[in-house]
Amino acid sequence: MVTCAMKSTLKALIFDVDGTLADTEADGHRLAFNKAFVGFGLDWNWDVETYGKLLAVTGGKERMKFYATDFLPNKKIPTDLDNMIPKIHKVKTSYYTDLLATGAIPLRSGVKRLLNEARERGYRLAIATTTTPDNVTALLMNTLGKESLDWFEVIAAGDMVPHKKPATDVYDYALEKMALKPEECIAFEDSQNGNISSINAGIKTIVTPVYYTKDHSFDGAGIVIDHMGEPDDAFSVLEGDAEGFTFLNCAMIEMLHSRE
Ligand code: XBP
Ligand code: MG
């Protein structure tokens, strides 16, 4: 019998952060924004539902501007808002990283196992996120330890690129820094904007939505599963075919990557 094994050209795994590595929005970023608003004398308070709508815009500074222009009655927009936003955002970042230091936000199921397996198998790792670099550092340090910062060859984040997701900039940047072609990588995302960004950058994408993103559409994704899972914590397939796999490991990633 002749077997025909397709050689995978997969070289690197590129991870989104918020929603993908950890469910950071409702009990992390949102709380930090609200705490920062108080210190600036703003009566803004983003409840869970409102914040879900605000997530249509990626990036915390951009999200504040979106709220002010689209959610507040005109007369209530602070006159010096454009000057205030970077200041509020800086304070918000410090509240958020303080919160992460308490261990309040764990990694999602399967993330740590998959990162370790990928490293053992020699895959190159990168991050592509709209969040602020300090937030990535804080999440990695407080969940995986300081040494994990060195696991990622590139941490592409926040304002390092001109346009945030759904633009492709952050993925283009990561690919350029690694000198890799999109087809040599696979991306991990949780949201519609993230999936659009990675897919339009030409990268096959695995989507693991969270509460806020579960009703998004994920056109073009390689597969959509409710979480990465563990041997004793199977995922549910939301879109696509897992071909018998029950948790996301390197063998499943290679299968998805080599699929037409
Ligand atoms: C995540 C974001 C981030 C965070 C806030 O999107 O939009 O902006 O909500 O982070 P994605 P900052 O997971 O698609 O990258 O406040 O630091 O911008
Ligand atoms: Mg995300």
Side-chain angles (χ1 to χ4, degrees), residues 16-20 25 165 189-191 194:
D16 168 51
V17 174
D18 294 302
T20 301
E25 296 290 4
K165 299 173 190 175
E189 279 288 354
D190 71 297
S191 70

Short mmCIF file of all heavy atoms in Angstrom, two decimals, residues 16-20 25 165 189-191 194, ligand 2:
data_model
loop_
_atom_site.label_atom_id
_atom_site.label_comp_id
_atom_site.label_asym_id
_atom_site.label_seq_id
_atom_site.Cartn_x
_atom_site.Cartn_y
_atom_site.Cartn_z
N ASP A 16 -3.78 35.48 19.34
CA ASP A 16 -4.44 36.65 19.91
C ASP A 16 -4.39 36.49 21.43
O ASP A 16 -4.10 35.40 21.94
CB ASP A 16 -5.90 36.67 19.41
CG ASP A 16 -6.75 37.67 20.15
OD1 ASP A 16 -6.34 38.84 20.25
OD2 ASP A 16 -7.84 37.28 20.64
N VAL A 17 -4.66 37.56 22.16
CA VAL A 17 -4.58 37.51 23.63
C VAL A 17 -5.97 37.58 24.27
O VAL A 17 -6.47 36.59 24.83
CB VAL A 17 -3.66 38.63 24.17
CG1 VAL A 17 -3.69 38.66 25.70
CG2 VAL A 17 -2.24 38.43 23.66
N ASP A 18 -6.61 38.76 24.17
CA ASP A 18 -7.90 38.95 24.84
C ASP A 18 -8.96 38.03 24.24
O ASP A 18 -9.23 38.08 23.04
CB ASP A 18 -8.35 40.41 24.72
CG ASP A 18 -7.41 41.33 25.47
OD1 ASP A 18 -7.25 41.12 26.69
OD2 ASP A 18 -6.82 42.23 24.84
N GLY A 19 -9.53 37.20 25.07
CA GLY A 19 -10.55 36.26 24.61
C GLY A 19 -9.95 34.93 24.22
O GLY A 19 -10.56 33.89 24.47
N THR A 20 -8.77 34.92 23.65
CA THR A 20 -8.18 33.67 23.14
C THR A 20 -7.34 32.98 24.22
O THR A 20 -7.57 31.81 24.53
CB THR A 20 -7.34 33.96 21.88
OG1 THR A 20 -8.20 34.54 20.90
CG2 THR A 20 -6.72 32.68 21.33
N GLU A 25 -12.15 40.32 29.13
CA GLU A 25 -12.89 41.57 28.89
C GLU A 25 -13.84 41.96 30.04
O GLU A 25 -13.65 43.00 30.65
CB GLU A 25 -13.66 41.49 27.56
CG GLU A 25 -12.76 41.38 26.33
CD GLU A 25 -11.95 42.64 26.00
OE1 GLU A 25 -12.01 43.61 26.77
OE2 GLU A 25 -11.24 42.65 24.99
N LYS A 165 -7.00 45.61 14.63
CA LYS A 165 -7.92 44.65 14.02
C LYS A 165 -9.30 45.33 13.88
O LYS A 165 -9.66 46.11 14.75
CB LYS A 165 -8.06 43.40 14.90
CG LYS A 165 -6.75 42.65 15.11
CD LYS A 165 -6.96 41.53 16.13
CE LYS A 165 -5.63 40.92 16.55
NZ LYS A 165 -5.78 39.91 17.61
N GLU A 189 -7.79 32.89 17.30
CA GLU A 189 -8.58 34.08 17.55
C GLU A 189 -9.87 33.71 18.28
O GLU A 189 -10.26 32.54 18.32
CB GLU A 189 -8.93 34.77 16.21
CG GLU A 189 -7.82 35.65 15.65
CD GLU A 189 -7.63 36.94 16.45
OE1 GLU A 189 -8.43 37.19 17.37
OE2 GLU A 189 -6.67 37.67 16.17
N ASP A 190 -10.55 34.74 18.80
CA ASP A 190 -11.83 34.49 19.48
C ASP A 190 -12.95 35.36 18.95
O ASP A 190 -14.10 35.17 19.35
CB ASP A 190 -11.72 34.75 20.99
CG ASP A 190 -11.60 36.24 21.25
OD1 ASP A 190 -10.62 36.85 20.81
OD2 ASP A 190 -12.54 36.81 21.86
N SER A 191 -12.64 36.34 18.10
CA SER A 191 -13.66 37.33 17.73
C SER A 191 -13.74 37.51 16.22
O SER A 191 -12.83 37.14 15.48
CB SER A 191 -13.32 38.68 18.36
OG SER A 191 -12.18 39.21 17.72
N GLY A 194 -10.98 39.79 15.02
CA GLY A 194 -9.71 39.07 15.02
C GLY A 194 -9.61 38.11 13.86
O GLY A 194 -8.58 38.02 13.17
MG MG B 2 -9.50 38.56 20.99
#
